[in-house]
């Protein structure tokens, strides 16, 4: 049974205490499940891995990797193609999961017990926490975000996201040290009838706000409208229709932050101010 998160005001971790900040979660995962966010980290966010001092190694954290270390192994492999010196630290609050992953450690990959306090030396340039905060109470999200963001390097980024079981529908909030900066949707073509189908996979900070009167609901409705407006392009394929939808959304004044190179992958990033609760 998943327990409610320890509130930051009473947590023993993250402030010199010995108890990790967080609770044991289900830990379910699948190989290649996080490919969409990994692709985003390895391409538009790759500059963060290259701005580290040449004498240092960029630290990346897979926070709450789950019962299997597969996603941490995949993340290290993908980011090493960008910077071979990258070191990925997988962090899990359940000690047995860490012990079972130890045999996979090598120079670029390690596993550690802990929680949102990120109990490893150095400040990470990237933290990825997927399908983790979804299992916490929404009231705990601000404290968790603040705890993780306080550990980021000057150019660091924290991706807090959710996806379906095999990674066809995925969303994530990107945060820097100052707080949230954007929301990204990433969908496999053919895995949705309308873009708002992704609503069930919104991050914890947004999923309960997909109701009339809230910004994220208005945004998804506008994206659906742009999708239906682009219906004449369906004969050219879902990719062309999606690209036209993203262009339409931008033309309507939404703060779309990316362009065709990302849209063609079924991805769309919008400024946080457009969707924040």
């Amino acid at each position: 049974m998943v327990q409610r998160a320890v509130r930051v005001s009473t947590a023993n971790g993250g402030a010199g205490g010995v108890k990790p900040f967080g609770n044991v979660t289900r830990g379910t995962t699948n190989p290649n499940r996080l490919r969409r966010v990994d692709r985003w980290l390895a391409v538009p966010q790759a500059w963060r891995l290259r701005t580290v001092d040449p004498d240092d190694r960029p630290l990346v954290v897979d926070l709450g990797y789950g019962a299997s270390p597969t996603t941490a192994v995949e993340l290290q492999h993908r980011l090493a193609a960008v910077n071979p010196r990258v070191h990925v630290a997988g962090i899990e609050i359940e000690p047995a999961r860490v012990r079972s992953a130890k045999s996979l450690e090598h120079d670029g990959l390690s596993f550690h017990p802990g929680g949102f306090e990120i109990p490893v030396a150095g400040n990470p340039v990237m933290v990825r926490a997927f399908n983790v905060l979804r299992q916490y109470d929404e009231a705990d999200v601000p404290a968790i975000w603040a705890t993780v963001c306080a550990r980021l390097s000057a150019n660091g980024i924290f991706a807090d996201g959710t996806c379906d079981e095999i990674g066809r529908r995925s969303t994530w909030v990107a945060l820097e040290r100052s707080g949230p900066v954007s929301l990204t949707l990433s969908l496999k073509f053919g895995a949705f009838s309308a873009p708002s189908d992704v609503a069930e996979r919104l991050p914890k900070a947004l999923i309960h706000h997909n109701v009339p009167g809230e910004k994220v609901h208005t945004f998804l409705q506008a994206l659906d409208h742009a999708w239906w407006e682009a219906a004449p392009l369906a004969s050219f394929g879902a990719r062309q229709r999606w690209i036209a939808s993203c262009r339409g959304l931008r033309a309507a004044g939404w703060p779309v932050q990316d362009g065709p190179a990302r849209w063609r992958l079924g991805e769309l990033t919008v400024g946080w101010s457009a969707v924040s609760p």
Side-chain angles (χ1 to χ4, degrees):
M1 183 175 184
V2 178
Q3 299 176 347
R4 188 174 182 273
V6 176
R7 299 305 301 274
V8 71
S9 60
T10 59
N12 293 320
V18 296
K19 182 180 178 181
F21 178 16
N23 290 321
V24 177
T25 55
R26 290 186 295 272
T28 53
T29 188
N30 279 307
N32 213 30
R33 186 183 186 186
L34 305 186
R35 61 192 178 278
R36 291 184 172 274
V37 66
D38 287 358
R39 181 172 60 191
W40 181 78
L41 291 171
V43 182
Q45 304 304 318
W47 65 272
R48 300 176 192 272
L49 297 171
R50 300 186 180 115
T51 55
V52 179
D53 188 299
D55 294 328
D56 296 330
R57 301 188 66 178
L59 173 64
V60 175
V61 170
D62 187 5
L63 184 54
Y65 58 82
S68 167
T70 302
T71 57
V73 173
E74 292 173 342
L75 180 62
Q76 195 280 331
H77 177 74
R78 289 161 178 161
L79 297 186
V82 177
N83 186 335
R85 291 179 54 79
V86 71
H87 184 92
V88 172
I91 296 178
E92 247 301 329
I93 203 166
E94 171 54 66
R97 296 173 183 173
V98 178
R99 289 194 296 269
S100 67
K102 283 291 186 179
S103 63
L104 297 173
E105 289 188 332
H106 55 78
D107 185 53
L109 179 66
S110 60
F111 296 93
H112 311 266
F116 296 111
E117 75 283 2
I118 309 182
V120 295
N123 299 106
V125 295
M126 293 178 177
V127 176
R128 184 192 67 185
F130 249 66
N131 305 304
V132 177
L133 275 73
R134 182 179 178 88
Q135 301 177 58
Y136 286 78
D137 192 287
E138 183 185 350
D140 292 314
V141 171
I144 292 171
W145 278 3
T147 300
V148 175
C149 288
R151 290 300 320 280
L152 294 175
S153 67
N155 291 324
I157 193 166
F158 170 30
D160 164 24
T162 305
C163 66
D164 67 2
E165 289 73 14
I166 56 176
R168 298 169 303 175
R169 300 177 182 178
S170 186
T171 72
W172 57 90
V173 176
L175 301 97
E176 297 179 340
R177 292 173 72 173
S178 60
V181 294
S182 64
L183 170 71
T184 298
L185 314 180
S186 184
L187 300 94
K188 178 179 173 59
F189 297 125
F192 64 95
S193 58
S196 61
D197 291 348
V198 80
E200 64 182 15
R201 300 296 172 176
L202 285 170
K204 191 66 176 188
L206 295 174
I207 193 167
H208 301 301
H209 295 274
N210 184 33
V211 293
E214 291 275 4
K215 291 181 182 179
V216 69
H217 181 268
T218 302
F219 167 69
L220 290 176
Q221 292 297 302
L223 182 55
D224 276 356
H225 178 74
W227 176 253
W228 299 123
E229 287 281 303
L233 291 174
S235 59
F236 296 100
R239 177 174 286 109
Q240 294 305 314
R241 184 178 178 182
W242 178 263
I243 290 172
S245 301
C246 295
R247 284 202 177 100
L249 205 64
R250 173 177 282 169
W254 289 90
V256 174
Q257 295 186 354
D258 47 13
R262 306 308 301 173
W263 300 341
R264 67 182 304 277
L265 302 173
E267 196 176 288
L268 173 66
T269 298
V270 66
W272 179 248
S273 63
V275 297
S276 61

